[in-house]
Amino acid sequence: MATDTAKISQLKSAVANLNQISESEKTGFVNLVSRYLSGEAQQVEWSKIQTPTDEVVVPYDTLAPTPEDPEETRKLLDKLVVLKLNGGLGTTMGCTGPKSVIEVRNGLTFLDLIVIQIENLNKKYGCSVPLLLMNSFNTHDDTQKIIEKYSNSNIEIHTFNQSQYPRIVVDDFVPLPSKGHTDKDGWYPPGHGDVFPSLKNSGKLDALLSKGKEYVFVANSDNLGAVVDLKILNHLIRNKNEYCMEVTPKTLADVKGGTLISYEGKVQLLEIAQVPDQHVNEFKSIEKFKIFNTNNLWVNLKAIKRLVEADALKMEIIPNPKEVDGVKVLQLETAAGAAIRFFDHAIGINVPRSRFLPVKATSDLLLVQSDLYTLVDGFVIRNPARTIPANPSIELGPEFKKVASFLSRFKSIPSIIELDSLKVAGDVWFGVGITLKGKVSIAAKSGVKLEIPDGAVLQNKEINGPEDI
């Protein structure tokens, strides 16, 4: 133990000299590292896990209808704030700047769609739902420039930054910036679990409470399905639920997603990292754990204030090892969903899959830009002509990984309403007006450019060269 105490005091004095961050960030960081070193129990006792009942994870279709009186609806909405997690960069998709400014459809970005949705809500009901963007130090400057274009909209947009913590050098447990790494590489944003303290530290929480706001709807900015839902808001206010996590039925694509369990009388999030090795396959099965966390969260603002001030939100720590210029570093993160067990009357709501439409890769972009969806008032709506509930599974090779190369390889996005699965490998280019149906696999031979001609209809085909089309 003495070594850990020594590590902490050494870390404290090093952190005290980092003038790039605030006192509250220094305290938060040291507390997080202390908890990590004390080795708080991460794993759960498997035999104590229970499947939550419908009282705990409420089926969406049992929610009461929303009030018919528009005035009642306006009152509901005036209690709401929408907060989008906007700290991520579009680097995995080959873009610079915040991920939320990638164009999703009809030349509109994630952020454009979010603003249009809330504008329409405010106009329709005469309410004033504000939009908050939680940025990281990576996205702050760009976002400030981008939101200027919305200055004439009927929506208040606020931004605040999540904490900035120093990466820790694994060898001697010293903050990386203390060793001369003062550029961005020395720092990291500590995960979206940081949304609660950052809301408080930024002064935004108290400002919202003073305006009579009661609930915040938190969601990832890249989840196109995360739109304001009046039935959920109405349910939470009527039942005084301090926290609600939207969950949705698992498919084979989501087997690693966190799930809700009942544990020692509380509802809590179970992540794959907490599962003992011998139970990982059971965790991934769709039979036992049927739902997963969409990261659409509804949280009572007064409850956030109470718990942050009491320093009670001790979410599970997620260690994330990285390497910077050959130096092994550690960053400790937390997830907002893990906070569920600290709130009173916390519930899950088992929502339709349409509320989970994340765009993590260009294969997701292909789905939302295709005829599988239409755009109505900023909402991405699924085409009723698709009769199969699940979306097609799409695997695009590395040639399509970056948005720019993805867009250049498709002259137009193919029709995929009747597609089950698509696999594309190699140097493949798509013409205009192509239709894909059933199971389609296209693999160009090494060093050969394979062009799919305009107007081609491919149904249940395996294509390795022009002769197969």
Side-chain angles (χ1 to χ4, degrees):
M1 268 316 281
T3 53
D4 286 350
T5 318
K7 272 182 187 170
I8 286 293
S9 58
Q10 170 189 314
L11 197 66
K12 258 189 189 159
S13 49
V15 168
N17 298 321
L18 296 174
N19 53 11
Q20 300 95 321
I21 56 174
S22 67
E23 288 308 312
S24 59
E25 284 171 310
K26 291 175 184 177
T27 310
F29 173 69
V30 171
N31 283 351
L32 190 64
V33 177
S34 310
R35 281 180 53 214
Y36 172 72
L37 286 173
S38 73
E40 283 181 19
Q42 293 292 309
Q43 294 215 330
V44 291
E45 260 186 76
W46 201 252
S47 57
K48 288 186 180 173
I49 291 178
Q50 292 179 310
T51 305
T53 61
D54 282 359
E55 275 81 66
V56 179
V57 175
V58 181
Y60 182 82
D61 49 20
T62 65
L63 299 182
T66 44
E68 284 178 18
D69 179 1
E71 179 56 21
E72 289 297 306
T73 303
R74 185 187 65 78
K75 283 182 186 163
L76 274 181
L77 283 167
D78 275 335
K79 297 178 176 179
L80 182 68
V81 182
V82 174
L83 191 162
K84 297 286 178 169
L85 303 169
N86 191 49
L89 292 167
T91 39
T92 45
M93 294 167 80
C95 298
T96 53
K99 188 176 175 187
S100 58
V101 299
I102 292 175
E103 286 187 8
V104 185
R105 194 166 172 126
N106 305 11
L108 298 169
T109 65
F110 289 107
L111 212 46
D112 292 338
L113 295 176
I114 291 163
V115 170
I116 293 167
Q117 289 163 13
I118 298 177
E119 271 188 327
N120 285 327
L121 208 55
N122 285 344
K123 199 187 300 168
K124 183 175 176 182
Y125 295 105
C127 54
S128 58
V129 175
L131 171 64
L132 268 74
L133 298 171
M134 180 168 85
N135 299 319
S136 65
F137 59 87
N138 289 316
T139 60
H140 174 261
D141 295 349
D142 287 334
T143 303
Q144 293 307 101
K145 288 194 202 93
I146 291 154
I147 60 174
E148 284 172 16
K149 72 171 179 177
Y150 307 123
S151 55
N152 297 328
S153 67
N154 68 347
I155 162 178
E156 266 185 58
I157 300 179
H158 303 267
T159 63
F160 66 100
N161 272 18
Q162 72 179 111
S163 307
Q164 175 173 334
Y165 284 177
R167 287 174 160 155
I168 308 162
V169 179
V170 172
D171 281 348
D172 54 9
F173 237 69
V174 168
L176 192 56
S178 307
K179 298 193 147 189
H181 259 279
T182 46
D183 59 352
K184 280 189 171 176
D185 282 349
W187 305 89
Y188 75 99
H192 46 62
D194 184 56
V195 62
F196 305 117
S198 295
L199 205 49
K200 174 79 176 70
N201 296 338
S202 65
K204 296 290 178 198
L205 183 60
D206 287 332
L208 293 166
L209 285 166
S210 70
K211 287 184 175 169
K213 302 297 178 190
E214 291 180 24
Y215 276 87
V216 60
F217 172 44
V218 181
N220 296 354
S221 60
D222 65 4
N223 179 6
L224 295 170
V227 299
V228 170
D229 188 297
L230 285 164
K231 281 171 77 169
I232 294 178
L233 178 63
N234 185 39
H235 182 88
L236 302 180
I237 290 172
R238 284 171 59 168
N239 293 282
K240 299 188 168 52
N241 302 109
E242 289 189 345
Y243 187 111
C244 164
M245 175 188 289
E246 292 184 39
V247 292
T248 197
K250 259 190 201 181
T251 67
L252 291 172
D254 321 300
V255 291
K256 290 182 178 168
T259 191
L260 283 184
I261 56 171
S262 289
Y263 191 76
E264 298 185 329
K266 281 266 194 189
V267 59
Q268 76 178 58
L269 181 67
L270 176 65
E271 297 274 17
I272 194 162
Q274 298 161 268
V275 176
D277 291 348
Q278 67 271 32
H279 295 292
V280 166
N281 283 342
E282 195 180 338
F283 175 81
K284 287 182 175 177
S285 88
I286 300 180
E287 278 71 53
K288 179 163 181 175
F289 299 104
K290 294 184 168 70
I291 51 171
F292 75 101
N293 171 20
T294 63
N295 218 39
N296 298 349
L297 311 169
W298 301 73
V299 196
N300 180 285
L301 293 167
K302 280 185 183 153
I304 295 175
K305 183 176 165 77
R306 179 187 81 232
L307 291 166
V308 170
E309 286 178 349
D311 192 25
L313 293 174
K314 300 198 186 306
M315 281 95 89
E316 285 75 13
I317 296 170
I318 307 157
N320 189 352
K322 299 261 179 183
E323 208 167 281
V324 178
D325 298 338
V327 180
K328 285 192 167 53
V329 295
L330 183 62
Q331 52 190 53
L332 304 176
E333 302 170 12
T334 60
I340 189 166
R341 61 196 175 93
F342 301 105
F343 288 83
D344 294 338
H345 310 296
I347 57 167
I349 292 182
N350 193 350
V351 298
R353 182 78 191 195
S354 57
R355 293 190 56 73
F356 185 66
L357 186 59
V359 179
K360 300 290 182 198
T362 51
S363 53
D364 301 320
L365 215 46
L366 174 60
L367 287 173
V368 297
Q369 292 187 351
S370 74
D371 56 354
L372 207 52
Y373 289 93
T374 48
L375 196 59
V376 183
D377 297 339
F379 297 97
V380 179
I381 311 274
R382 201 156 180 272
N383 187 337
R386 167 102 175 163
T387 48
I388 309 161
N391 275 344
S393 82
I394 296 180
E395 283 179 50
L396 301 175
E399 295 79 5
F400 292 81
K401 186 175 177 182
K402 295 186 170 175
V403 174
S405 25
F406 163 82
L407 292 172
S408 67
R409 285 173 179 273
F410 286 99
K411 275 193 193 158
S412 75
I413 300 291
S415 166
I416 60 171
I417 287 183
E418 295 177 53
L419 179 70
D420 295 325
S421 65
L422 171 68
K423 274 188 182 176
V424 183
D427 189 10
V428 180
W429 298 75
F430 290 81
V432 177
I434 291 167
T435 303
L436 305 174
K437 300 178 176 188
K439 291 188 164 74
V440 178
S441 168
I442 306 169
K445 296 184 178 77
S446 179
V448 179
K449 180 177 181 179
L450 177 56
E451 297 190 41
I452 310 296
D454 295 356
V457 177
L458 307 179
Q459 182 163 9
N460 295 322
K461 283 208 161 172
E462 205 167 300
I463 293 163
N464 300 104
E467 67 283 354
D468 300 327
I469 294 169

